[in-house]
RNA sequence: GGGCCGUUAGCUCAGCUGGCAGAGCAUCUGACUUUUAAUCAGAGGGUCCCAGGUUCGAAUCCUGGACGGCUCACCA
């Protein structure tokens, strides 16, 4: 059954719409051009007295959604909301004429209205457009949520984000900040000689991260394609091709569980710089976050979920082993001894049976150290077993030249000096393939073409990926990734 | 996937021990030319998430399911 016919509130509004048509008032015209936004008017005239406003010449054309409607017998106050904010309009029968006032009285909260007239200051001192002419710009058929409590139901807020954006200015602000952050990242990288590229979202071999992919099918070619879990292997092909500084800001897709920090599709900025090491990228990352923080907030301090976070560099750098020693209270010898560390891991309740030492170390790190990493911290020197694409450390080949950036107990970025030895790369792929054969669904597949690219020669390079959604969460004090993704993944309704 | 919690009018929410389905805002009718959640008088509006069960009687108790939130696990 069509909801439109059963819901009396919608039926009433459809009746009004038909009445407007009968009166010769088009309910959806498109010939009204506002001259100013609400914010522009406030900015220019908020400080003017009633007398000063009276002396001003010319009319202001404003347009927006009616968010409040206080109607008297022959006059009404309206709050119009546009992209910049809100402005009050006073509509009086004497000023707009009896015919216009008659249809105006039938308008609902939620309708779009255009108003033209001079600025006045009301008895209570509010800057107001005194309408000489009003236009219906778009009829709304559904009632907005209640004016005082607004829309709070999270399910409705996510499913009908448009209503959330209408009703909740803070939500609107979050997504404006998201847009600004992405622009700042783009400008920052561009200004340092990085070029933005687009690489395949649909890949025959999903690579660049250890995650389960979404699978799709190309009909004409009758082949399986995977939505990418990372752009890494394609961006490195571009470095082989001579784009020595390259980046991409785009979606990745991972077929994993959902949580406050995980959405199946999420946005990542990934960048590669030739003739640089992961240590260079630590400096670059500090600069990037400082740049974003200072332009956005004017300070490198921020508060996330009640905790103050100071982004002022330099940020501490700790190896994975050092972090485990510090937070588990183990000695270097104990951390390095596979038996002792595995026993410690089991005591924590971790299932580490059959795991190589490096993987156990990574597990223990996440368990004992991650919860302490509130202030920005670079964790370096990951075990080679969990880093199939990273360059080995020259002093200790059990570890790789890699870092992860932690802020507020969360992994925000992952970077490493790239493995550009094609023979080592092929060997690592083979090890991953062996793990895969043993049932590790997230282990890497062999990408022969990528190895071929490396065989042509890739300059020494460092690369990094930063989770944009988590970065936005940090800068908008958002507790859930759903609060920074406009249309988070949901099961279908009904 | 596990645990806990939730789903009642367009929205925000009450509804006790099982006994006629409630409020505020919104809507409709009337009054009102300076309001700020305008005010005053009146009226209408329900698949109590769905399906079973218990009962003389279920929004309420029981079972199963759907959807959501929080959280744990996995992952970034």
């Amino acid at each position: 059954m069509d909801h439109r016919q059963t819901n009396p509130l919608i039926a009433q509004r459809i009746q009004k719409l038909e009445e407007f048509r009968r009166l010769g008032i088009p309910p959806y015209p498109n010939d009204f051009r506002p001259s100013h936004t609400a914010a522009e008017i406030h900015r220019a005239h908020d400080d003017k007295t009633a007398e000063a406003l009276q002396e001003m010449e010319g009319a202001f054309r404003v347009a927006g959604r009616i968010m409040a409607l206080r109607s008297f017998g022959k006059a009404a106050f309206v709050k119009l909301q546009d992209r910049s904010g809100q402005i009050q309009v006073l509509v009086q029968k004497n000023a707009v004429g009896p015919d216009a006032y008659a249809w105006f009285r039938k308008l609902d909260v939620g309708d779009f209205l255009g108003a033209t007239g001079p600025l006045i200051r009301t008895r209570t001192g509010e800057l107001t457009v005194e309408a000489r002419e009003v236009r219906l710009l778009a009829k709304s058929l559904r009632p907005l949520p209640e004016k005082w409590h607004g829309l709070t139901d999270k399910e409705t807020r996510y499913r009908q984000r448009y209503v959330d954006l209408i009703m909740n200015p803070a939500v609107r602000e979050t997504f404006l900040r998201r847009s600004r952050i992405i622009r700042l990242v783009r400008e920052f990288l561009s200004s340092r000689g990085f070029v933005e590229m687009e690489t395949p979202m649909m890949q025959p071999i999903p690579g660049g991260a250890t995650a389960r992919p979404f699978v799709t099918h190309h009909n004409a070619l009758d082949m399986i394609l995977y939505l990418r879990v990372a752009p890494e292997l394609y961006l490195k092909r571009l470095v082989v091709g001579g784009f020595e500084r390259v980046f991409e800001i785009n979606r990745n897709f991972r077929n994993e569980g959902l949580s406050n920090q995980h959405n199946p599709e999420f946005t990542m900025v990934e960048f590669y710089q030739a003739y640089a090491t992961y240590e260079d990228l630590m400096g670059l990352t500090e600069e990037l976050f400082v740049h974003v923080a200072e332009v956005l907030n004017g300070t490198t301090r921020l508060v996330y979920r009640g905790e103050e976070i100071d982004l002022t560099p330099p940020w501490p750098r700790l190896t994975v082993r050092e972090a485990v020693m510090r937070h588990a209270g183990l000695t270097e010898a104990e951390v390095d001894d596979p038996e002792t560390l595995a026993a410690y891991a089991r005591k924590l309740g971790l299932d580490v049976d059959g795991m190589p030492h490096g993987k156990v170390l990574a597990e223990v790190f996440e368990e004992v150290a991650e919860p302490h990493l509130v202030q920005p911290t670079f964790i370096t020197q990951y075990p080679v077993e969990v880093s199939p694409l990273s360059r080995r450390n020259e002093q200790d080949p059990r570890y790789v030249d890699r870092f992860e950036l932690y802020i507020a107990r969360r992994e925000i970025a992952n970077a490493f000096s790239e493995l550009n030895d094609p023979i080592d790369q092929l060997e690592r792929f083979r090890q991953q393939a062996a793990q895969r054969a043993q049932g590790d669904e997230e282990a890497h597949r062999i990408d022969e073409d990528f190895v071929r690219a490396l065989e042509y020669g890739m300059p020494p390079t460092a690369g990094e990926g930063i989770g944009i959604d988590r970065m936005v969460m940090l800068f908008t004090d958002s507790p859930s990734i759903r609060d920074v993704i406009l249309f988070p993944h949901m099961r279908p309704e009904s």
Side-chain angles (χ1 to χ4, degrees), chain A residues 14-271:
Chain A
I14 291 175
Q15 271 182 17
K16 284 184 181 179
L17 179 134
E18 285 160 357
E19 209 174 322
F20 285 133
R21 284 214 165 96
R22 276 199 300 277
L23 291 167
I25 296 156
Y28 301 104
N30 191 355
D31 60 350
F32 186 89
R33 299 291 172 264
S35 61
H36 296 80
T37 65
E40 283 166 357
I41 290 174
H42 284 298
R43 212 176 302 129
H45 306 294
D46 263 350
D47 56 349
K48 291 199 172 65
T49 63
E51 294 73 29
L53 291 172
Q54 208 167 10
E55 284 165 18
M56 281 171 34
E57 306 230 328
F60 292 81
R61 286 192 309 282
V62 292
R65 188 189 293 277
I66 299 174
M67 293 304 288
L69 183 54
R70 287 182 285 275
S71 182
F72 303 81
K74 299 186 179 78
F77 289 94
V78 163
K79 272 269 163 42
L80 287 190
Q81 176 168 292
D82 68 12
R83 67 179 186 279
S84 73
Q86 296 191 344
I87 183 86
Q88 182 167 263
V89 176
L90 172 58
V91 183
Q92 296 161 109
K93 191 174 179 180
N94 287 348
V96 300
D99 292 349
Y101 199 74
W103 67 256
F104 166 81
R105 290 202 68 178
K106 296 189 191 308
L107 292 183
D108 297 298
V109 170
D111 292 346
F112 283 86
L113 183 75
T116 308
L119 291 179
I120 59 161
R121 202 164 280 287
T122 62
R123 195 173 289 169
T124 54
E126 181 160 350
L127 189 66
T128 299
V129 175
E130 189 187 51
R132 297 288 155 80
E133 194 191 340
V134 283
R135 289 286 308 279
L136 171 61
L137 301 184
K139 183 80 193 99
S140 120
L141 299 183
R142 286 178 186 266
L144 288 175
E146 199 227 348
K147 61 188 167 191
W148 190 240
H149 301 92
L151 179 66
T152 60
D153 180 73
K154 284 200 176 172
E155 183 171 355
T156 312
R157 287 185 45 217
Y158 296 148
R159 287 193 197 277
Q160 301 182 42
R161 183 69 91 179
Y162 36 89
V163 181
D164 193 25
L165 288 166
I166 293 166
M167 299 305 296
N168 296 317
V171 172
R172 185 185 158 77
E173 182 57 28
T174 292
F175 287 103
L176 287 173
R177 281 170 82 84
R178 180 180 175 117
S179 172
R180 254 177 262 144
I181 289 165
I182 291 173
R183 195 175 68 236
L184 288 169
V185 170
R186 180 171 276 127
E187 286 169 358
F188 177 90
L189 290 171
S190 300
S191 73
R192 279 162 178 73
F194 289 83
V195 291
E196 184 170 8
M197 294 285 158
E198 291 166 276
T199 63
M201 310 285 274
M202 296 192 292
Q203 304 177 348
I205 300 167
T210 53
R212 277 154 53 191
F214 286 95
V215 186
T216 187
H217 180 260
H218 190 291
N219 288 341
L221 299 178
D222 187 24
M223 68 181 289
I224 287 175
L225 283 170
Y226 301 89
L227 298 188
R228 74 177 189 194
V229 295
E232 170 151 358
L233 300 187
Y234 285 91
L235 288 171
K236 285 201 271 203
R237 283 169 168 97
L238 295 183
V239 177
V240 169
F243 289 124
E244 293 176 346
R245 296 187 180 194
V246 67
F247 75 102
E248 177 164 6
I249 301 176
N250 223 322
R251 228 67 64 79
N252 292 338
F253 307 86
R254 298 191 185 173
N255 207 339
E256 313 273 3
L258 287 75
S259 83
N260 276 355
Q261 292 170 70
H262 300 89
N263 195 63
E265 52 180 303
F266 63 102
T267 302
M268 187 105 133
V269 56
E270 207 162 289
F271 52 94

Side-chain angles (χ1 to χ4, degrees), chain A residues 239 244 272-277 416-420 458-463:
Chain A
V239 177
E244 293 176 346
Y272 291 83
Q273 178 176 351
Y275 312 110
T277 68
F416 37 86
S417 297
E418 301 297 337
L419 174 60
N420 64 343
M458 183 169 85
T461 298

Side-chain angles (χ1 to χ4, degrees), chain A residues 320 323-324 327-328 364-374 379:
Chain A
V320 174
V324 168
H327 295 291
V364 171
F365 164 77
E366 284 182 19
E367 187 69 18
V368 301
E370 220 176 79
H372 299 284
L373 302 176
V374 175
I379 300 297

